[in-house]
Amino acid sequence: MPFTTVSSQIHCQGLLPLYPVTSSDALSSTSTPASIAFYKQDKDSQHNASSYSSTDYICFKIPDGSLNLRNFVAVIKDFCNSCSTSNTPSLSGFLLHIPVEYECVDLSLYKDNQVVLLLSGKSSSENAGRSWMVMLQTENLSFSQFSRTFPANYYNLQELEALELQLDTDYGKVRSVPHPLSTPLAVSASRGVACIFSSRRHALVYILDEDEDEDEDEGSEME
């Protein structure tokens, strides 16, 4: 609610409706995991302010039931570029279906176009009490373009290809966390670490850029 939280004087140049919310009560009670980031891309070897462009990424969890989807995460890129150019819009993205026995409790974009997902086993499944931290390289996933038609078709996310998340995927790293987890997920690209919180009120710090088999216990527990 930017007009209420920030200022009623905000001028919006481009809008991208993401998903419908059934009621105002659902809107006020819903805390949707989301993350926005910009990544610089070098154009040439000259060191000046105009030698790079930027690509923006928006990653968020779609509330269950919205768009007739359950347990889905969406990743969109080039939203700002599609707003600022008069050429054919380059807006693209994909939908990622989380395994039904897990729920995505939080997420964050990371350096080099990566997405970190925090998955927790549902209490009704055999994976209750077990969690995963998944780091995906988005460049290895299939982005598909979709339109920005307004106002006839607001929710164009349904045009995107739906991909199934496999916990043994070759698209990134998967870390097993032997504790139920809670929000928030904190990620530092400069330090290359992620901090998560267990239900036992412990903080777990993981080195993201190292493989799990190099150090079987990457996490350090702190009171």
Side-chain angles (χ1 to χ4, degrees):
M1 304 176 65
F3 295 103
T4 301
T5 306
V6 183
S7 171
S8 59
Q9 303 298 319
I10 291 177
H11 172 70
C12 296
Q13 182 175 353
L15 294 175
L16 176 64
L18 299 177
Y19 51 81
V21 178
T22 56
S23 68
S24 58
D25 292 338
L27 178 63
S28 62
S29 62
T30 299
S31 178
T32 301
S35 180
I36 301 175
F38 290 82
Y39 300 105
K40 292 182 179 180
Q41 296 179 333
D42 294 332
K43 288 184 176 180
D44 51 49
S45 58
Q46 297 180 357
H47 299 287
N48 55 65
S50 61
S51 64
Y52 64 85
S53 62
S54 62
T55 301
D56 58 279
Y57 282 78
I58 306 172
C59 181
F60 58 94
K61 179 183 177 182
I62 301 176
D64 287 345
S66 182
L67 299 174
N68 295 320
L69 299 174
R70 301 191 70 85
N71 232 21
F72 273 85
V73 168
V75 178
I76 301 171
K77 70 175 181 178
D78 290 325
F79 169 68
C80 290
N81 290 338
S82 67
C83 288
S84 59
T85 181
S86 59
N87 299 324
T88 303
S90 57
L91 189 63
S92 60
F94 62 84
L95 300 176
L96 190 64
H97 186 215
I98 308 299
V100 294
E101 61 268 28
Y102 294 95
E103 63 175 331
C104 179
V105 297
D106 208 351
L107 53 82
S108 178
L109 287 158
Y110 184 56
K111 62 183 179 180
D112 299 327
N113 308 331
Q114 294 172 324
V115 178
V116 181
L117 303 176
L118 199 59
L119 308 182
S120 185
K122 294 182 178 179
S123 58
S124 58
S125 73
E126 60 182 13
N127 294 298
R130 188 178 185 184
S131 304
W132 299 87
M133 183 168 60
V134 183
M135 186 166 64
L136 299 176
Q137 181 68 43
T138 60
E139 292 180 347
N140 295 333
L141 299 170
S142 177
F143 282 83
S144 55
Q145 292 190 353
F146 66 105
S147 61
R148 294 180 48 126
T149 306
F150 300 118
N153 183 9
Y154 276 104
Y155 306 108
N156 294 330
L157 292 182
Q158 292 171 308
E159 299 176 12
L160 297 179
E161 180 179 359
L163 309 175
E164 294 289 335
L165 174 64
Q166 303 292 335
L167 293 181
D168 58 350
T169 180
D170 293 329
Y171 294 136
K173 299 178 181 179
V174 179
R175 300 275 180 83
S176 176
V177 183
H179 308 289
L181 301 178
S182 61
T183 58
L185 164 67
V187 173
S188 171
S190 60
R191 297 179 180 272
V193 298
C195 180
I196 57 181
F197 297 90
S198 73
S199 59
R200 300 186 301 174
R201 298 182 180 274
H202 288 174
L204 309 174
V205 179
Y206 286 83
I207 302 175
L208 293 176
D209 296 330
E210 292 185 3
D211 293 329
E212 191 175 66
D213 54 7
E214 293 178 0
D215 185 354
E216 293 184 357
D217 189 11
E218 296 280 358
S220 59
E221 296 193 0
M222 299 175 290
E223 297 292 344

mmCIF file of all heavy atoms in Angstrom, residues 37-44 47-57 78 81 110-113 139:
data_model
loop_
_atom_site.group_PDB
_atom_site.id
_atom_site.type_symbol
_atom_site.label_atom_id
_atom_site.label_comp_id
_atom_site.label_asym_id
_atom_site.label_seq_id
_atom_site.Cartn_x
_atom_site.Cartn_y
_atom_site.Cartn_z
ATOM 1 N N ALA A 37 15.521 -6.906 -6.778
ATOM 2 C CA ALA A 37 16.948 -6.616 -6.879
ATOM 3 C C ALA A 37 17.289 -6.176 -8.295
ATOM 4 O O ALA A 37 16.574 -6.481 -9.257
ATOM 5 C CB ALA A 37 17.781 -7.836 -6.498
ATOM 6 N N PHE A 38 18.387 -5.427 -8.404
ATOM 7 C CA PHE A 38 18.928 -5.002 -9.688
ATOM 8 C C PHE A 38 20.335 -5.569 -9.822
ATOM 9 O O PHE A 38 21.112 -5.544 -8.863
ATOM 10 C CB PHE A 38 18.978 -3.474 -9.793
ATOM 11 C CG PHE A 38 17.634 -2.823 -9.898
ATOM 12 C CD1 PHE A 38 16.876 -2.577 -8.764
ATOM 13 C CD2 PHE A 38 17.121 -2.453 -11.128
ATOM 14 C CE1 PHE A 38 15.639 -1.968 -8.850
ATOM 15 C CE2 PHE A 38 15.884 -1.850 -11.233
ATOM 16 C CZ PHE A 38 15.140 -1.607 -10.097
ATOM 17 N N TYR A 39 20.675 -6.058 -11.001
ATOM 18 C CA TYR A 39 22.007 -6.596 -11.259
ATOM 19 C C TYR A 39 22.633 -5.847 -12.424
ATOM 20 O O TYR A 39 22.010 -5.688 -13.483
ATOM 21 C CB TYR A 39 21.943 -8.086 -11.575
ATOM 22 C CG TYR A 39 21.345 -8.912 -10.466
ATOM 23 C CD1 TYR A 39 20.056 -9.417 -10.562
ATOM 24 C CD2 TYR A 39 22.066 -9.178 -9.311
ATOM 25 C CE1 TYR A 39 19.500 -10.174 -9.547
ATOM 26 C CE2 TYR A 39 21.522 -9.931 -8.283
ATOM 27 C CZ TYR A 39 20.242 -10.424 -8.409
ATOM 28 O OH TYR A 39 19.687 -11.170 -7.401
ATOM 29 N N LYS A 40 23.853 -5.388 -12.233
ATOM 30 C CA LYS A 40 24.558 -4.679 -13.295
ATOM 31 C C LYS A 40 25.126 -5.679 -14.301
ATOM 32 O O LYS A 40 25.625 -6.735 -13.934
ATOM 33 C CB LYS A 40 25.698 -3.834 -12.712
ATOM 34 C CG LYS A 40 25.222 -2.654 -11.873
ATOM 35 C CD LYS A 40 26.397 -1.850 -11.367
ATOM 36 C CE LYS A 40 25.925 -0.658 -10.538
ATOM 37 N NZ LYS A 40 27.067 0.135 -10.025
ATOM 38 N N GLN A 41 25.078 -5.289 -15.571
ATOM 39 C CA GLN A 41 25.644 -6.091 -16.638
ATOM 40 C C GLN A 41 26.600 -5.221 -17.431
ATOM 41 O O GLN A 41 26.205 -4.194 -17.992
ATOM 42 C CB GLN A 41 24.549 -6.646 -17.558
ATOM 43 C CG GLN A 41 23.601 -7.603 -16.854
ATOM 44 C CD GLN A 41 22.511 -8.110 -17.772
ATOM 45 O OE1 GLN A 41 22.138 -7.445 -18.727
ATOM 46 N NE2 GLN A 41 21.999 -9.285 -17.471
ATOM 47 N N ASP A 42 27.883 -5.616 -17.492
ATOM 48 C CA ASP A 42 28.891 -4.827 -18.203
ATOM 49 C C ASP A 42 28.626 -4.840 -19.698
ATOM 50 O O ASP A 42 28.323 -5.879 -20.295
ATOM 51 C CB ASP A 42 30.296 -5.381 -17.936
ATOM 52 C CG ASP A 42 30.693 -5.210 -16.472
ATOM 53 O OD1 ASP A 42 30.183 -4.267 -15.846
ATOM 54 O OD2 ASP A 42 31.499 -6.018 -15.982
ATOM 55 N N LYS A 43 28.773 -3.665 -20.311
ATOM 56 C CA LYS A 43 28.627 -3.547 -21.754
ATOM 57 C C LYS A 43 29.967 -3.580 -22.469
ATOM 58 O O LYS A 43 30.103 -4.106 -23.554
ATOM 59 C CB LYS A 43 27.900 -2.243 -22.104
ATOM 60 C CG LYS A 43 26.420 -2.243 -21.769
ATOM 61 C CD LYS A 43 25.777 -0.946 -22.232
ATOM 62 C CE LYS A 43 24.276 -0.963 -21.982
ATOM 63 N NZ LYS A 43 23.637 0.306 -22.427
ATOM 64 N N ASP A 44 30.979 -2.955 -21.872
ATOM 65 C CA ASP A 44 32.312 -2.936 -22.470
ATOM 66 C C ASP A 44 33.332 -2.813 -21.351
ATOM 67 O O ASP A 44 33.006 -2.804 -20.182
ATOM 68 C CB ASP A 44 32.466 -1.785 -23.474
ATOM 69 C CG ASP A 44 32.042 -0.452 -22.872
ATOM 70 O OD1 ASP A 44 32.496 -0.133 -21.757
ATOM 71 O OD2 ASP A 44 31.245 0.254 -23.522
ATOM 72 N N HIS A 47 35.676 1.978 -18.065
ATOM 73 C CA HIS A 47 35.193 2.205 -16.704
ATOM 74 C C HIS A 47 34.522 3.578 -16.628
ATOM 75 O O HIS A 47 35.119 4.573 -16.231
ATOM 76 C CB HIS A 47 36.349 2.124 -15.706
ATOM 77 C CG HIS A 47 37.020 0.792 -15.694
ATOM 78 N ND1 HIS A 47 36.449 -0.328 -15.138
ATOM 79 C CD2 HIS A 47 38.212 0.397 -16.207
ATOM 80 C CE1 HIS A 47 37.259 -1.363 -15.281
ATOM 81 N NE2 HIS A 47 38.342 -0.942 -15.936
ATOM 82 N N ASN A 48 33.288 3.644 -17.037
ATOM 83 C CA ASN A 48 32.541 4.880 -16.921
ATOM 84 C C ASN A 48 31.104 4.541 -16.581
ATOM 85 O O ASN A 48 30.678 3.390 -16.636
ATOM 86 C CB ASN A 48 32.622 5.716 -18.204
ATOM 87 C CG ASN A 48 32.186 4.918 -19.425
ATOM 88 O OD1 ASN A 48 31.025 4.525 -19.529
ATOM 89 N ND2 ASN A 48 33.118 4.683 -20.351
ATOM 90 N N ALA A 49 30.362 5.552 -16.228
ATOM 91 C CA ALA A 49 29.009 5.336 -15.712
ATOM 92 C C ALA A 49 28.070 4.732 -16.749
ATOM 93 O O ALA A 49 27.060 4.128 -16.389
ATOM 94 C CB ALA A 49 28.439 6.664 -15.209
ATOM 95 N N SER A 50 28.374 4.913 -18.043
ATOM 96 C CA SER A 50 27.485 4.411 -19.094
ATOM 97 C C SER A 50 27.922 3.061 -19.642
ATOM 98 O O SER A 50 27.411 2.636 -20.670
ATOM 99 C CB SER A 50 27.417 5.434 -20.234
ATOM 100 O OG SER A 50 28.708 5.626 -20.794
ATOM 101 N N SER A 51 28.863 2.402 -18.981
ATOM 102 C CA SER A 51 29.415 1.152 -19.514
ATOM 103 C C SER A 51 28.655 -0.080 -19.048
ATOM 104 O O SER A 51 29.082 -1.183 -19.316
ATOM 105 C CB SER A 51 30.893 1.019 -19.109
ATOM 106 O OG SER A 51 31.008 0.925 -17.702
ATOM 107 N N TYR A 52 27.547 0.106 -18.374
ATOM 108 C CA TYR A 52 26.786 -1.053 -17.924
ATOM 109 C C TYR A 52 25.296 -0.761 -18.012
ATOM 110 O O TYR A 52 24.853 0.379 -18.030
ATOM 111 C CB TYR A 52 27.164 -1.432 -16.486
ATOM 112 C CG TYR A 52 26.821 -0.389 -15.456
ATOM 113 C CD1 TYR A 52 25.543 -0.326 -14.880
ATOM 114 C CD2 TYR A 52 27.761 0.546 -15.052
ATOM 115 C CE1 TYR A 52 25.222 0.628 -13.951
ATOM 116 C CE2 TYR A 52 27.442 1.512 -14.114
ATOM 117 C CZ TYR A 52 26.179 1.547 -13.570
ATOM 118 O OH TYR A 52 25.862 2.503 -12.640
ATOM 119 N N SER A 53 24.547 -1.838 -18.082
ATOM 120 C CA SER A 53 23.090 -1.745 -17.978
ATOM 121 C C SER A 53 22.671 -2.535 -16.751
ATOM 122 O O SER A 53 23.485 -3.216 -16.129
ATOM 123 C CB SER A 53 22.427 -2.311 -19.239
ATOM 124 O OG SER A 53 22.748 -3.687 -19.381
ATOM 125 N N SER A 54 21.408 -2.457 -16.394
ATOM 126 C CA SER A 54 20.932 -3.195 -15.223
ATOM 127 C C SER A 54 19.702 -4.008 -15.584
ATOM 128 O O SER A 54 18.898 -3.612 -16.430
ATOM 129 C CB SER A 54 20.604 -2.242 -14.068
ATOM 130 O OG SER A 54 19.559 -1.364 -14.433
ATOM 131 N N THR A 55 19.593 -5.156 -14.957
ATOM 132 C CA THR A 55 18.430 -6.022 -15.112
ATOM 133 C C THR A 55 17.755 -6.153 -13.759
ATOM 134 O O THR A 55 18.413 -6.467 -12.769
ATOM 135 C CB THR A 55 18.835 -7.414 -15.629
ATOM 136 O OG1 THR A 55 19.491 -7.281 -16.889
ATOM 137 C CG2 THR A 55 17.616 -8.301 -15.795
ATOM 138 N N ASP A 56 16.462 -5.895 -13.722
ATOM 139 C CA ASP A 56 15.745 -5.986 -12.461
ATOM 140 C C ASP A 56 15.013 -7.322 -12.366
ATOM 141 O O ASP A 56 14.540 -7.864 -13.364
ATOM 142 C CB ASP A 56 14.744 -4.842 -12.322
ATOM 143 C CG ASP A 56 13.735 -4.810 -13.461
ATOM 144 O OD1 ASP A 56 14.084 -4.289 -14.539
ATOM 145 O OD2 ASP A 56 12.599 -5.301 -13.282
ATOM 146 N N TYR A 57 14.942 -7.845 -11.152
ATOM 147 C CA TYR A 57 14.250 -9.097 -10.868
ATOM 148 C C TYR A 57 13.235 -8.863 -9.761
ATOM 149 O O TYR A 57 13.506 -8.156 -8.784
ATOM 150 C CB TYR A 57 15.226 -10.189 -10.434
ATOM 151 C CG TYR A 57 15.992 -10.837 -11.560
ATOM 152 C CD1 TYR A 57 17.082 -10.200 -12.146
ATOM 153 C CD2 TYR A 57 15.634 -12.099 -12.037
ATOM 154 C CE1 TYR A 57 17.790 -10.793 -13.175
ATOM 155 C CE2 TYR A 57 16.339 -12.702 -13.066
ATOM 156 C CZ TYR A 57 17.410 -12.042 -13.622
ATOM 157 O OH TYR A 57 18.108 -12.628 -14.651
ATOM 158 N N ASP A 78 13.181 -7.767 -15.994
ATOM 159 C CA ASP A 78 13.107 -6.709 -17.012
ATOM 160 C C ASP A 78 11.812 -5.908 -16.944
ATOM 161 O O ASP A 78 11.342 -5.406 -17.964
ATOM 162 C CB ASP A 78 13.287 -7.289 -18.420
ATOM 163 C CG ASP A 78 14.706 -7.764 -18.667
ATOM 164 O OD1 ASP A 78 15.633 -7.116 -18.150
ATOM 165 O OD2 ASP A 78 14.888 -8.782 -19.358
ATOM 166 N N ASN A 81 12.842 -2.216 -17.682
ATOM 167 C CA ASN A 81 13.206 -2.044 -19.086
ATOM 168 C C ASN A 81 11.974 -2.017 -19.979
ATOM 169 O O ASN A 81 11.904 -1.265 -20.944
ATOM 170 C CB ASN A 81 14.140 -3.169 -19.534
ATOM 171 C CG ASN A 81 15.515 -3.050 -18.909
ATOM 172 O OD1 ASN A 81 15.922 -1.971 -18.490
ATOM 173 N ND2 ASN A 81 16.234 -4.147 -18.840
ATOM 174 N N TYR A 110 19.601 -13.142 -4.655
ATOM 175 C CA TYR A 110 20.993 -13.169 -4.235
ATOM 176 C C TYR A 110 21.836 -12.727 -5.421
ATOM 177 O O TYR A 110 21.316 -12.467 -6.511
ATOM 178 C CB TYR A 110 21.337 -14.586 -3.758
ATOM 179 C CG TYR A 110 22.727 -14.766 -3.185
ATOM 180 C CD1 TYR A 110 23.166 -13.982 -2.128
ATOM 181 C CD2 TYR A 110 23.584 -15.733 -3.698
ATOM 182 C CE1 TYR A 110 24.430 -14.161 -1.595
ATOM 183 C CE2 TYR A 110 24.844 -15.927 -3.169
ATOM 184 C CZ TYR A 110 25.273 -15.134 -2.113
ATOM 185 O OH TYR A 110 26.520 -15.308 -1.586
ATOM 186 N N LYS A 111 23.128 -12.617 -5.249
ATOM 187 C CA LYS A 111 23.991 -12.131 -6.324
ATOM 188 C C LYS A 111 24.022 -13.105 -7.505
ATOM 189 O O LYS A 111 23.660 -14.280 -7.382
ATOM 190 C CB LYS A 111 25.404 -11.914 -5.791
ATOM 191 C CG LYS A 111 26.083 -13.167 -5.269
ATOM 192 C CD LYS A 111 27.451 -12.826 -4.684
ATOM 193 C CE LYS A 111 28.140 -14.054 -4.128
ATOM 194 N NZ LYS A 111 29.455 -13.732 -3.551
ATOM 195 N N ASP A 112 24.461 -12.592 -8.659
ATOM 196 C CA ASP A 112 24.585 -13.392 -9.881
ATOM 197 C C ASP A 112 23.257 -14.010 -10.298
ATOM 198 O O ASP A 112 23.200 -15.157 -10.738
ATOM 199 C CB ASP A 112 25.641 -14.500 -9.713
ATOM 200 C CG ASP A 112 27.024 -13.933 -9.417
ATOM 201 O OD1 ASP A 112 27.325 -12.851 -9.929
ATOM 202 O OD2 ASP A 112 27.778 -14.573 -8.672
ATOM 203 N N ASN A 113 22.181 -13.254 -10.132
ATOM 204 C CA ASN A 113 20.863 -13.680 -10.605
ATOM 205 C C ASN A 113 20.380 -14.964 -9.941
ATOM 206 O O ASN A 113 19.713 -15.789 -10.576
ATOM 207 C CB ASN A 113 20.866 -13.869 -12.130
ATOM 208 C CG ASN A 113 21.414 -12.657 -12.861
ATOM 209 O OD1 ASN A 113 21.297 -11.536 -12.377
ATOM 210 N ND2 ASN A 113 21.989 -12.866 -14.024
ATOM 211 N N GLU A 139 19.407 -18.227 -14.459
ATOM 212 C CA GLU A 139 19.806 -18.305 -15.862
ATOM 213 C C GLU A 139 19.667 -19.724 -16.410
ATOM 214 O O GLU A 139 19.615 -19.925 -17.622
ATOM 215 C CB GLU A 139 21.242 -17.812 -16.037
ATOM 216 C CG GLU A 139 21.401 -16.312 -15.771
ATOM 217 C CD GLU A 139 22.822 -15.846 -15.937
ATOM 218 O OE1 GLU A 139 23.723 -16.712 -16.007
ATOM 219 O OE2 GLU A 139 23.044 -14.621 -15.988
#
